[in-house]
């Protein structure tokens, strides 16, 4: 767990504050289950930060004294598999304080700090939380620096003025401040929590790989050293001590990437408006129930179609937001019927078509949209054209074209269960 806890800590955009004195009362808590569950949270608060610190960390504005990042970590009973599930901060749930009040899951912390946060997650998931960790903005920065920095990787430019992120394509070595900007960014491609959560998961995966290579959890002695670094900037509940972290850490140190899973709770409604609460996320009842049941039964979550039924032809982006021009009227009509925004033909249909399949031409940075269009045109080739406009142009070749219906599911595109070996920054968006 140590390696994992360290990695998750590097993903939390949180604040300092006193650790809570002990675990929640046993009353009304979920029953113990198979394996071990750890709740890792971060608190969005600027309390105690000077203006200079806020400016340096790029965390201006008012905090909410609420959890900003929340991950539920499940280590299997045989310690041979780990499942890391992100719970979006705007998830609409009932608080476990007996009030019957519903609100965003991140609000539980303001109502009852760590103990109520734990009980609320247990009430929503049906899973018993065995250990709890929290940290803050400065704690995050200190943990990253204490571990020698973080490797950040992207295949495209990432820029977000709100978090201060400005990252060019490629591999980068970042200090704690740079890593904080990366995990906090919300206003880049696929804005909002789900896109940010996937980047956080990717950063966790990459960090786990690095710590494994460096032997940070190779044995109890190495795990203890890593634990001391972690505990300098992370608070735990009284049910979690150094021995727990070392024991769990050595177990995580033996896990292969294909045995570490990442997922986000499946969402049904992405903008559920509640008076006095604002825009919230409603979980997909059947899929989320299947997720929690799988963890309770100590089963893998990847490959479980009850959790995330993958469509026959999945699309990484929504075709309804992709403008297309086509030099063939029949293909244009078929793409329009499939949900693409077809703006007529790109040119007069040629008398003689070039040999081969269709060619898709598009501007740099439109790789995901081009992949969606290519999924609808099996065998199509793709070409990046600097200076190209907002449309994707399709030149149909001599080969017969079959237009497929693509299915866009935001849960699949941004939060489907996936193993660490398939979540690298250059292998998944």
């Amino acid at each position: 767990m140590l390696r994992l806890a360290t990695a998750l800590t590097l993903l939390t955009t949180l604040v300092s504050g006193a650790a809570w004195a002990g675990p929640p009362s046993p009353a009304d808590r979920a029953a113990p289950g198979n394996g071990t569950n750890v709740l890792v949270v971060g608190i969005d608060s600027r309390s105690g930060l000077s203006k200079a610190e806020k400016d340096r960390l790029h965390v201006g504005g008012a905090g909410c004294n609420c959890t900003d990042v929340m991950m539920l970590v499940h280590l299997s009973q045989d310690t041979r598999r780990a499942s890391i599930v992100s719970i979006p901060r705007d998830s609409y749930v009932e608080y476990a304080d007996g009030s019957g009040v519903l609100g965003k899951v991140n609000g539980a912390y303001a109502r009852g700090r760590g103990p109520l946060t734990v009980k609320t997650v247990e009430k929503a998931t049906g899973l018993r939380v065995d250990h709890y960790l929290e940290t803050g903005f400065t704690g995050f920065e200190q943990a990253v620096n204490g571990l020698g920095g973080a490797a950040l990787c992207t295949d495209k430019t990432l820029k977000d003025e709100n978090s201060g992120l400005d990252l060019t394509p490629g591999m980068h070595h970042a200090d704690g401040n740079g890593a904080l900007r990366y995990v906090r960014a919300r206003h880049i491609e696929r804005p909002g929590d789900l896109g940010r959560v996937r980047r956080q998961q990717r950063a966790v995966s990459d960090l786990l790989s690095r710590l494994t290579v460096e032997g940070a959890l190779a044995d109890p002695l190495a795990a203890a050293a890593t634990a001391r670094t972690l505990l300098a900037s992370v608070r735990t509940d009284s049910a979690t001590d150094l021995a727990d972290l070392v024991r769990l850490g050595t177990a995580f140190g033996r896990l292969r990437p294909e045995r570490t899973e990442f997922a986000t709770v499946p969402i049904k409604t992405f903008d559920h408006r509640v008076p006095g609460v604002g825009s919230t996320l409603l979980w997909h009842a059947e899929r989320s129930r299947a997720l929690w049941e799988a963890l309770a039964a100590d089963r893998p979550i990847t490959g479980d179609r009850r959790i995330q039924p993958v469509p026959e032809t999945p699309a990484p982006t929504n075709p309804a937001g992709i403008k297309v021009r086509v030099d063939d009227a029949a293909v244009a009509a078929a793409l329009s019927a499939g949900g693409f925004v077809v703006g007529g033909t790109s040119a007069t249909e040629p008398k003689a078509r070039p040999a081969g399949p269709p060619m898709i031409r598009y501007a740099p940075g439109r790789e995901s949209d081009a992949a969606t269009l290519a999924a609808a045109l099996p065998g199509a080739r793709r070409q990046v054209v600097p200076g190209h406009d907002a449309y994707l142009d399709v030149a149909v070749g001599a080969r017969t074209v079959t237009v497929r219906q693509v299915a866009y599911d935001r849960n699949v595109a941004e939060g489907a269960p996936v193993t660490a070996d398939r979540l690298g920054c250059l292998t998944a968006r």
Side-chain angles (χ1 to χ4, degrees):
M1 152 82 259
L2 200 8
R3 172 181 61 175
L4 175 69
T6 302
L8 293 177
T9 299
L10 300 185
L11 290 192
T12 51
T13 56
L14 322 162
V15 62
S16 300
W20 42 288
S25 166
D28 302 322
R29 294 193 64 194
N34 297 320
T36 303
N37 296 316
V38 183
L39 185 64
V40 181
V41 307
I43 314 305
D44 180 1
S45 171
R46 279 72 171 169
S47 176
L49 294 180
S50 66
K51 183 179 185 304
E53 288 176 313
K54 292 178 184 178
D55 292 343
R56 178 175 58 81
L57 296 173
H58 220 86
V59 293
C64 61
N65 193 33
C66 61
T67 52
D68 185 50
V69 177
M70 182 177 289
M71 290 184 174
L72 185 63
V73 182
H74 175 81
L75 178 65
S76 65
Q77 187 72 36
D78 63 8
T79 69
R80 298 182 60 190
R81 182 184 64 258
S83 304
I84 304 165
V85 180
S86 296
I87 301 176
R89 57 175 287 167
D90 293 337
S91 298
Y92 192 54
V93 300
E94 182 179 347
Y95 299 127
D97 56 3
S99 66
V101 172
L102 282 77
K104 297 180 181 182
V105 71
N106 67 345
Y109 190 88
R111 297 173 67 92
R113 301 187 66 82
L116 182 59
T117 299
V118 168
K119 290 184 68 174
T120 297
V121 170
E122 290 185 336
K123 182 179 181 66
T125 66
L127 299 172
R128 178 67 168 255
V129 173
D130 302 296
H131 301 286
Y132 171 92
L133 304 174
E134 73 172 53
T135 188
F137 289 132
T138 55
F140 176 98
E141 182 187 30
Q142 292 166 6
V144 174
N145 290 336
L147 292 170
L152 306 180
C153 183
T154 176
D155 58 357
K156 64 193 313 176
T157 297
L158 298 178
K159 190 167 186 176
D160 176 22
E161 292 184 3
N162 286 25
S163 72
L165 178 67
D166 190 357
L167 209 60
T168 57
M171 183 72 72
H172 303 266
H173 182 81
D175 62 7
N177 194 329
L180 179 65
R181 297 181 183 206
Y182 176 79
V183 300
R184 291 187 63 240
R186 297 168 63 94
H187 302 281
I188 55 180
E189 184 191 27
R190 294 180 181 171
D193 255 8
L194 265 68
R196 181 179 70 149
V197 162
R198 198 48 132 184
R199 290 190 300 278
Q200 293 168 353
Q201 293 171 356
R202 188 170 301 123
V204 169
S205 177
D206 291 341
L207 182 58
L208 292 180
S209 297
R210 180 172 71 82
L211 292 176
T212 298
V213 170
E214 294 176 355
L217 298 172
D219 53 54
L221 187 61
T226 307
R228 292 189 185 95
T229 298
L230 176 67
L231 291 175
S233 54
V234 176
R235 294 173 300 282
T236 70
D237 64 328
S238 62
T240 306
D241 58 20
L242 179 64
D244 292 315
L245 296 180
V246 171
R247 175 177 56 83
L248 294 171
T250 53
F252 272 89
R254 294 190 294 267
L255 289 176
R256 300 188 306 273
E258 61 269 24
R259 302 287 293 182
T260 304
E261 309 173 305
F262 293 86
T264 302
V265 181
I267 304 299
K268 180 179 181 180
T269 305
F270 288 87
D271 187 20
H272 177 64
R273 299 279 173 166
V274 180
V277 178
S279 177
T280 68
L281 301 173
L282 290 184
W283 292 356
H284 192 291
E286 293 78 12
R287 294 186 188 182
S288 62
R289 185 182 306 116
L291 172 64
W292 308 132
E293 288 177 352
L295 294 181
D298 210 21
R299 298 195 308 265
I301 59 176
T302 49
D304 189 334
R305 290 184 174 272
R306 299 175 311 147
I307 298 172
Q308 213 63 282
V310 179
E312 182 176 349
T313 308
T317 56
N318 192 343
I322 303 175
K323 297 180 179 180
V324 180
R325 288 186 296 245
V326 191
D327 68 356
D328 182 279
V331 173
L335 288 173
S336 179
F340 290 90
V341 182
V342 179
T345 57
S346 56
T348 303
E349 295 191 23
K351 295 180 180 179
R353 297 198 174 273
M359 173 66 76
I360 301 172
R361 295 183 173 88
Y362 57 95
R366 302 292 302 281
E367 288 77 12
S368 293
D369 287 344
T372 295
L373 184 54
L377 299 170
R381 296 170 294 167
R382 285 172 263 180
Q383 179 183 9
V384 178
V385 180
H388 202 281
D389 62 15
Y391 279 82
L392 276 65
D393 281 325
V394 178
V396 177
R399 186 178 301 176
T400 301
V401 176
T402 300
V403 179
R404 288 183 180 173
Q405 292 281 329
V406 298
Y408 172 70
D409 184 327
R410 188 173 174 186
N411 289 295
V412 172
E414 299 185 26
V418 62
T419 53
D421 58 315
R422 299 179 59 83
L423 194 64
C425 65
L426 296 180
T427 61
R429 286 181 177 275

